[in-house]
Amino acid sequence: MNLFGTLRAPRELLFGAGQRLALGSIAARLGRRALVITDTRLAADADFLMLVRQLEEADIAVAVDSSTLPDVPVKSAEQSAENARNFSPDLVIGIGGGSCLDMAKCVALLVTYGGRPQDYYGEHTVPGPVIPLIAIPTTAGTGSEVTPVAVLSDAERSLKVGISSPHLIPTVSICDPDLTLSCPPALTAIAGADALTHALEALTAIRRDPVPGIAQQRVFVGKNELSDQFALRAIALLWQGLEAACTNGGDRAAREKVMLGATLAGLAFGVAGTAAAHAIQYPVGALTHTAHGLGVACLMPYVMTWNAPVIRADLARIAQAAGLAGPDNVIPELVSLFARIGIPSTLRELGLEESRLAWVAEQSIGIARLIQNNPRPLNLDEMRNLVAAAYHGDCSSLN
């Protein structure tokens, strides 16, 4: 076997309860004028205000931008970057959920190179390093604190779009599970299900021929030996901790497992990539205005059922990581886990109208970077069948 692996990660990653208290000393090594990106709710939070005080006590000038909106509308990122130029930051710090971290990445990019977000859509379009960036997640889900991707919503395209470049990986990430203790059960479930989907899609992604330079040609290279290790550990941690964290938000051990699982899943899919579940969620989310994590988790059992004939070995590895009896148990147990934490089981429950199924299939199949990452190929007719199965809740037509 030709062993091949690649890893992209922050220069420094701190994980553990209380590690947020290191922010001041870390930031002081990277800059003197910090633009802190967050949202309106977090801007008044006691933990957030304590982090800002740390920066000020380290003699760092601080400007707070609390304008982050869910799904980061392109126009809002443009406006924040324009406002930031008056402050002339030499450091950007994102504190919050995935949208806050994606906003911080985009603002750091625009402050460094100018232009509009649209100038950088796609892969490898960022010309070089951006100004130093620190990411501090307050939810355990997107893994944005370690990934090369910033996701925005573009009203002109009616879809989410991505800027994908290794230059967007934060310089330093501080993952403190104590910051997730106040996360309500529904958000814990949505974020954690998103993380588990990241790990599952990274582990089962296509394995490409590792030609020299593949990691320079593609942001998502497909599954490999290093991404598999992160994905399997993420699956184990999330399977152990997610339901417990949703049931009892004060369970610190469960919170640690879920946050570490989400971060490891980010390290996995940051190089391996995601696949069909994420491709379908983009148009579904645009139509239903439902949370990204709900959509990808709802879709994951159907996508895995379609992929099952070609991922048998990976299903066995998932079963071992999750403590299940065997590969045939993985998809039913995943369905059961998601049901117990409140994830909808069909696209109909997400609010998708049956009349839009054909449009969803057409849009999904067009997201080539994700569809090409799926281990079992999909043409338009097969995608229509997959989307219909997920709408009606019937897997019988998939294999």
Side-chain angles (χ1 to χ4, degrees):
M1 182 178 181
N2 182 4
L3 287 179
F4 166 74
T6 185
L7 170 64
R8 301 191 190 102
R11 182 191 307 168
E12 186 173 2
L13 171 60
L14 293 174
F15 181 92
Q19 290 301 317
R20 66 192 184 282
L21 302 176
L23 175 61
S25 60
I26 290 169
R29 301 200 315 263
L30 297 175
R32 305 311 309 171
R33 299 181 64 78
L35 174 65
V36 181
I37 303 284
T38 191
D39 58 31
T40 304
R41 183 187 67 82
L42 272 173
D45 180 82
D47 270 314
F48 176 83
L49 295 172
M50 180 270 293
L51 291 172
V52 170
R53 279 198 303 274
Q54 274 193 59
L55 297 169
E56 293 170 340
E57 289 167 1
D59 293 324
I60 296 170
V62 179
V64 175
D65 179 344
S66 59
S67 66
T68 302
L69 299 172
D71 300 324
V72 193
V74 165
K75 291 289 186 187
S76 70
E78 256 186 292
Q79 187 60 57
S80 286
E82 185 60 38
N83 295 342
R85 290 189 183 96
N86 297 324
F87 177 65
S88 298
D90 58 10
L91 170 65
V92 175
I93 303 172
I95 302 175
S99 291
C100 292
L101 304 189
D102 285 355
M103 176 78 145
K105 290 176 176 179
C106 196
V107 170
L109 168 60
L110 297 180
V111 166
T112 306
Y113 294 107
R116 306 177 308 152
Q118 294 93 321
D119 299 332
Y120 305 100
Y121 288 174
E123 294 195 352
H124 287 305
T125 56
V126 177
V130 302
I131 65 173
L133 178 62
I134 298 175
I136 305 177
T138 60
T139 61
T142 70
S144 185
E145 66 273 9
V146 295
T147 70
V149 181
V151 178
L152 305 92
S153 52
D154 188 331
E156 294 178 7
R157 300 188 176 207
S158 302
L159 284 173
K160 285 187 177 181
V161 292
I163 302 173
S164 302
S165 167
H167 295 304
L168 293 184
I169 298 172
T171 313
V172 179
S173 296
I174 303 173
C175 303
D176 188 332
D178 283 355
L179 290 173
T180 68
L181 288 170
S182 61
C183 195
L187 182 54
T188 300
I190 292 168
D194 187 21
L196 183 51
T197 301
H198 289 153
L200 291 168
E201 286 213 290
L203 183 72
T204 58
I206 194 169
R207 187 187 294 276
R208 291 189 172 86
D209 182 18
V211 296
I214 187 174
Q216 285 67 55
Q217 298 158 10
R218 293 178 174 271
V219 173
F220 292 159
V221 303
K223 72 186 272 93
N224 58 84
E225 295 309 309
L226 290 173
S227 65
D228 279 5
Q229 298 311 309
F230 288 118
L232 286 166
R233 184 61 181 147
I235 290 165
L237 288 163
L238 289 160
W239 218 289
Q240 293 167 18
L242 180 53
E243 186 176 0
C246 294
T247 304
N248 176 13
D251 185 335
R252 288 177 179 269
R255 290 289 192 185
E256 287 178 339
K257 288 176 181 177
V258 173
M259 182 166 243
L260 183 55
T263 299
L264 295 179
L267 290 170
F269 92 83
V271 288
T274 53
H278 276 70
I280 301 168
Q281 160 55 21
Y282 280 129
V284 168
L287 290 175
T288 62
H289 304 290
T290 49
H292 171 79
L294 281 181
V296 292
C298 169
L299 288 157
M300 196 68 234
Y302 301 98
V303 171
M304 290 181 76
T305 300
W306 167 257
N307 289 333
V310 299
I311 60 167
R312 184 75 180 175
D314 285 324
L315 288 172
R317 299 172 83 190
I318 293 166
Q320 185 175 17
L324 305 177
D328 293 335
N329 300 90
V330 171
I331 298 172
E333 289 296 336
L334 181 67
V335 169
S336 178
L337 172 59
F338 282 166
R340 295 196 302 272
I341 63 173
I343 302 298
S345 62
T346 67
L347 294 180
R348 181 195 290 142
E349 290 176 57
L350 279 179
L352 184 67
E353 295 178 7
E354 189 169 7
S355 62
R356 302 311 302 272
L357 293 182
W359 183 84
V360 168
E362 289 164 8
Q363 295 297 314
S364 303
I365 205 73
I367 305 177
R369 66 186 176 87
L370 299 180
I371 296 302
Q372 291 172 2
N373 223 32
N374 205 65
R376 186 181 179 192
L378 281 156
N379 62 32
L380 180 55
D381 285 341
E382 290 162 342
M383 178 61 82
R384 289 189 182 117
N385 186 41
L386 175 55
V387 171
Y391 179 84
H392 295 290
D394 181 5
C395 288
S396 61
S397 67
L398 295 178
N399 279 314

